[in-house]
């Protein structure tokens, strides 16, 4: 049976030493995030996820969710009790506002918990994860009455939340939705339509489910400009806040999926269900994007979360499994064979996994800090700068993070050889669960186009230029150092590749937009390589300082520097190849007609 140990030491290193969260103690919500409190949250969350959620992961995969004839859904064995413990421990309240029952701590710590729960049991983590996203939308766009009615119980975990966008005939192109919202004359609307792929759409974990639904009002423009957002609870809420009669929304079926079987992905039918407008009419897409952006950061975490748990199990297997001898001579002559850990090709896969997951963790937690700063930084300019930077990085975190997370998960399965293909070892589940992260919350092709088609050019390219300056300044500061200098020089080459790719887009994409579309995926990966390289430069800098200052935990810090060197040697060169692919343009890609793709009889 696969196992999971929350990487609490590495997380404390990033939060306390790399991000230095305690240095932000002058900002609202950060004053309580002392090093002792941070360590307690990280260690206890890690224990809960490792001991309670992880043992249910394989069970959830095997059992899945069950839909009953009355439309109700039962989650896998153990999920309901684990959710009760999760709720009573207050894990979902850590970074939620105190005004609605949250603990008001930094978003960074909420992201730590999101990682641990998602790594231990991704299907389980999606239930509170969707609720947090729905809460964010209501916090930003809900009326005071809606906030008072829904948020305290959603934040407490008594009620859950969902997002309802996709319909059978449309996914990304939301302007095509057909779900209707007819005014009832009393301030409510009758919502009618069908939504598909609704994660956590029906289940037995909470007493109510608060659906946020995109729909069109009568006479609304037949485009994205005609979309409105509605709150539609599974059970109507009485004046005193108690649960009332059942609303006209039901689960028609559960999707039969490749992975995340423990999460109920539903077809939801709305048959005149009562709903209430959230925010302004015809401004629903902007409101939903608040939820989607939060979800995209969460999905980026899922990418490296599955890579992390697959990596942990692959390391354990490689140290135990014996096959052949080391190329340099027997590593353990007294044994009949050496552990496969000694073989360079196995070590290559493990080092790739280590280099990716540790840097991706740092990038996601830094991204969470930017979210905090976008709301709480001392000046308006600092808040705007943080918001622009996390906006630029979000598609990279989601797209590059999940592409590479899936690659790592499959390579960790490869370490197991034939056993990796056998379900009992659990590696198949990690691969299958990792695969969805590349698809939902906007496919990674959509993320690449969001980055290149929208984010690069926003405000005259201010955000990406700020990113270039920041990376360039940190490279320049490291160049004179004997250890950091060689790392910085290699990162500088990747930064140059990204800058050149950006310039090529500026010179060629206006004349032929297909050039942008053909190169967007490659550009997203180049930026991902640079962003993770920046994380390794930062981590190596801290590790070197710790070794010089106190010499404690020597092996941990030496491993950081060695892994940074590996990343610069093995990941950075890909940026040049990707730039050359990008500069090949779209001509050969788009040259063939439709008939050339069809197989002749």
């Amino acid at each position: 049976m696969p196992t999971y140990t929350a990487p609490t030491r590495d997380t404390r290193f990033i939060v306390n030493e790399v991000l230095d969260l305690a240095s932000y103690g002058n900002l609202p919500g950060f004053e309580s995030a002392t090093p002792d409190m941070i360590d307690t949250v990280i260690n206890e969350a890690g224990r809960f996820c490792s001991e309670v959620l992880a043992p249910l992961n394989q069970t959830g995969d095997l059992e899945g969710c069950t839909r009953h004839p009355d439309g109700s859904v039962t989650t896998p064995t153990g999920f309901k009790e684990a959710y009760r413990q999760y709720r009573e421990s207050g894990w979902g309240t850590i970074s939620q506002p105190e005004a609605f029952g949250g603990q008001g701590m930094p978003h960074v710590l909420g992201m730590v918990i999101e990682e641990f729960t998602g790594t231990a049991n991704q299907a389980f983590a999606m239930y509170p994860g969707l609720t947090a996203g729905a809460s964010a939308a209501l916090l930003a766009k809900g009326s005071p009455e809606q906030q008072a009615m829904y948020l305290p119980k959603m934040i407490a975990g008594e009620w859950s939340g969902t997002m309802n966008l996709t319909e059978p005939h449309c996914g990304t192109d939301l302007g095509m939705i057909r779900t209707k919202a007819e005014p009832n004359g009393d301030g409510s609307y009758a919502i009618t339509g069908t939504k598909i792929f609704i994660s956590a759409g029906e289940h037995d974990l909470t007493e109510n489910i608060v659906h946020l639904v995109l729909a069109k009002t009568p006479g609304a423009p037949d485009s994205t400009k005609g979309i409105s957002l509605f709150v539609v609870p599974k059970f109507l809420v009485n004046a005193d806040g108690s649960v009332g009669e059942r609303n006209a929304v039901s689960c028609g079926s559960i999707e039969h999926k490749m992975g995340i079987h423990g999460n109920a992905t539903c077809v939801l039918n709305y048959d005149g269900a009562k709903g209430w407008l959230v925010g302004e009419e015809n401004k629903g897409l902007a409101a939903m994007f608040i939820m989607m952006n939060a979800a995209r950061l969460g999905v980026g975490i899922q990418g490296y979360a599955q890579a992390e748990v697959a990596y942990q199990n692959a390391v354990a297997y490689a140290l135990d499994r014996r096959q052949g001898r080391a190329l340099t001579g027997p590593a353990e002559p007294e044994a009949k064979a050496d552990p496969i850990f000694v073989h360079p090709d196995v070590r290559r896969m493990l080092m790739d996994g280590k280099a990716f997951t540790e840097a991706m963790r740092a990038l996601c937690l830094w991204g969470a800090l930017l979210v905090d700063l976008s709301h709480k930084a001392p000046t308006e300019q600092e808040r705007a700068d943080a918001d622009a930077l996390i906006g630029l990085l979000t598609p990279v975190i989601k797209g590059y993070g999940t592409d590479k997370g899936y690659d790592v998960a499959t390579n960790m399965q490869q370490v197991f050889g034939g056993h990796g293909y056998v379900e009992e070892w659990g590696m198949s589940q990690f691969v299958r669960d990792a695969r969805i992260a590349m698809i939902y919350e906007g496919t990674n092709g959509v993320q690449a186009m969001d980055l290149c088609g929208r984010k690069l050019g926003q405000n005259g390219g201010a955000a990406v230029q700020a990113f270039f300056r920041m990376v360039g300044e940190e490279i320049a500061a490291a160049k004179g150092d004997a250890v950091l200098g060689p790392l910085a020089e290699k990162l500088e080459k990747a930064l140059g590749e990204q800058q050149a790719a950006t310039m090529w887009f500026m010179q060629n994409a206006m004349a032929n937009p297909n050039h942008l579309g053909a190169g967007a995926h490659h550009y997203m990966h180049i930026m991902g390589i640079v962003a993770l390289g920046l994380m390794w430069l930062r981590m190596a800098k801290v590790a070197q300082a710790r070794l010089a200052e106190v010499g404690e935990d020597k092996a941990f810090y030496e491993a950081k520097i060695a892994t940074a060197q590996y990343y610069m040697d093995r990941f950075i060169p890909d940026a040049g190849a990707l730039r050359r692919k990008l500069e090949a343009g779209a001509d050969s890609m788009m040259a063939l007609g439709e008939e050339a793709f069809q197989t002749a009889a």
Side-chain angles (χ1 to χ4, degrees):
M1 181 177 180
T3 61
Y4 168 64
T5 301
T8 54
R9 176 64 184 94
D10 195 56
T11 304
R12 293 196 306 273
F13 167 71
I14 295 167
V15 174
N16 290 329
E17 301 177 62
V18 179
L19 299 181
D20 190 14
L21 208 63
S23 67
Y24 296 92
N26 61 312
L27 302 182
F30 283 77
E31 63 275 2
S32 58
T34 63
D36 286 345
M37 175 59 74
I38 291 168
D39 288 352
T40 297
V41 170
I42 291 172
N43 292 337
E44 289 305 307
R47 182 195 58 76
F48 172 79
C49 294
S50 300
E51 297 177 6
V52 177
L53 298 186
L56 300 175
N57 194 38
Q58 198 167 37
T59 302
D61 185 56
L62 295 172
E63 287 188 18
C65 296
T66 303
R67 178 187 178 277
H68 304 287
D70 64 355
S72 63
V73 172
T74 302
T75 51
T77 301
F79 272 44
K80 194 168 185 178
E81 171 59 22
Y83 184 81
R84 182 190 65 77
Q85 294 182 47
Y86 176 93
R87 176 175 54 79
E88 291 179 353
S89 298
W91 293 121
T93 70
I94 290 288
S95 56
Q96 296 293 342
E98 293 178 281
F100 299 103
Q103 299 184 49
M105 298 184 74
H107 190 57
V108 175
L109 293 180
M111 279 291 194
V112 168
I113 295 167
E114 198 165 344
E115 178 199 334
F116 291 174
T117 55
T119 316
N121 194 321
Q122 181 172 324
F124 177 94
M126 291 170 66
Y127 292 101
L130 268 295
T131 304
S135 298
L138 288 173
L139 276 167
K141 297 295 183 178
S143 68
E145 294 77 16
Q146 289 169 343
Q147 292 175 351
M149 177 176 289
Y150 297 109
L151 286 177
K153 292 192 175 182
M154 292 173 70
I155 287 172
E158 296 175 37
W159 297 353
S160 60
T162 71
M163 55 193 297
N164 285 231
L165 292 78
T166 308
E167 299 183 6
H169 64 286
C170 75
T172 301
D173 191 356
L174 291 170
M176 297 171 61
I177 66 171
R178 296 172 183 162
T179 300
K180 297 298 182 185
E182 299 282 347
N184 286 325
D186 60 357
S188 69
Y189 290 77
I191 312 297
T192 302
T194 297
K195 298 288 185 177
I196 64 171
F197 302 159
I198 309 305
S199 300
E202 175 62 32
H203 56 79
D204 59 352
L205 302 182
T206 59
E207 66 173 358
N208 204 359
I209 303 173
V210 180
H211 303 293
L212 293 186
V213 184
L214 292 184
K216 290 182 176 179
T217 55
D222 190 21
S223 67
T224 55
K225 295 181 179 179
I227 296 174
S228 298
L229 180 64
F230 298 87
V231 56
V232 187
K234 172 183 172 180
F235 290 98
L236 299 176
V237 182
N238 296 322
D240 63 358
S242 62
V243 169
E245 65 182 64
R246 179 67 187 259
N247 207 352
V249 53
S250 60
C251 173
S253 64
I254 296 177
E255 304 288 0
H256 300 283
K257 310 185 298 292
M258 176 180 176
I260 52 170
H261 296 151
N263 194 271
T265 306
C266 301
V267 175
L268 291 184
N269 297 316
Y270 291 85
D271 300 305
K274 266 197 172 185
W276 288 264
L277 183 66
V278 177
E280 298 179 53
E281 188 174 353
N282 298 334
K283 299 290 181 66
L285 194 59
M288 185 61 84
F289 261 112
I290 294 168
M291 186 173 180
M292 290 175 67
N293 284 333
R296 285 172 176 175
L297 290 173
V299 172
I301 287 176
Q302 290 177 7
Y304 80 82
Q306 294 308 301
E308 168 70 32
V309 68
Y311 164 79
Q312 288 188 17
N313 283 274
V315 169
Y317 184 85
L319 291 170
D320 180 68
R321 177 72 167 175
R322 294 179 179 274
Q323 294 284 291
R325 289 296 191 184
L327 297 178
T328 53
E332 298 181 16
E334 71 283 359
K336 291 185 176 180
D338 291 330
I340 63 171
F341 188 80
V342 304
H343 300 308
D345 192 59
V346 172
R347 193 68 69 89
R348 169 187 63 84
M349 292 185 282
L350 295 178
M351 282 299 296
D352 279 357
K354 181 178 179 64
F356 168 74
T357 55
E358 292 181 13
M360 197 67 202
R361 176 175 298 113
L363 180 62
C364 286
L365 292 177
W366 177 49
L369 177 60
L370 290 173
V371 172
D372 282 317
L373 295 178
S374 72
H375 296 290
K376 299 176 180 179
T379 69
E380 184 177 347
Q381 187 60 54
E382 288 175 295
R383 293 191 293 272
D385 290 346
D387 187 62
L389 188 52
I390 189 56
L392 179 72
L393 287 170
T394 293
V396 179
I397 289 172
K398 195 282 185 186
Y400 179 76
T402 59
D403 276 351
K404 294 300 291 184
Y406 177 74
D407 286 348
V408 169
T410 58
N411 277 337
M412 298 307 100
Q413 183 186 37
Q414 184 76 13
V415 169
F416 278 71
H419 287 152
Y421 205 65
V422 175
E423 290 289 346
E424 287 83 350
W425 289 84
M427 301 305 289
S428 167
Q429 183 186 355
F430 302 143
V431 171
R432 289 183 284 106
D433 285 357
R435 189 64 183 86
I436 185 57
M438 300 165 69
I439 298 172
Y440 62 6
E441 303 308 337
T443 65
N444 286 356
V446 170
Q447 303 304 318
M449 285 304 295
D450 178 43
L451 172 64
C452 298
R454 293 181 64 247
K455 301 294 176 59
L456 287 186
Q458 270 184 345
N459 300 317
V464 74
Q465 291 302 324
F467 178 77
F468 290 157
R469 284 194 300 274
M470 177 183 60
V471 179
E473 288 169 1
E474 295 193 35
I475 288 170
K479 271 191 172 181
D481 185 271
V483 174
L484 301 180
L487 305 180
E489 289 173 4
K490 290 180 179 179
L491 177 57
E492 188 173 40
K493 292 180 181 179
L495 178 62
E497 302 290 5
Q498 186 186 354
Q499 291 170 322
T502 307
M503 183 61 68
W504 191 89
F505 274 158
M506 291 175 62
Q507 295 170 342
N508 294 275
M510 290 292 289
N512 183 357
N514 279 340
H515 288 322
L516 184 78
H521 173 83
H522 305 312
Y523 187 94
M524 179 177 72
H525 275 239
I526 294 172
M527 188 167 179
I529 290 168
V530 173
L532 294 198
L534 177 64
M535 296 302 103
W536 274 118
L537 186 61
R538 289 177 177 178
M539 289 189 287
K541 180 180 178 180
V542 173
Q544 185 189 26
R546 293 293 181 270
L547 284 171
E549 290 168 2
V550 293
E552 296 177 359
D553 211 354
K554 183 178 179 182
F556 177 86
Y557 293 119
E558 287 180 340
K560 284 293 177 188
I561 294 171
T563 309
Q565 292 169 337
Y566 178 87
Y567 181 88
M568 300 303 181
D569 287 343
R570 292 284 181 152
F571 282 66
I572 288 293
D574 290 342
L578 289 166
R579 179 183 62 81
R580 289 189 288 275
K581 286 185 177 183
L582 180 150
E583 291 178 354
D587 292 345
S588 61
M589 185 180 293
M590 307 300 289
L592 296 181
E594 294 178 8
E595 67 283 352
F597 291 87
Q598 299 173 19
T599 303

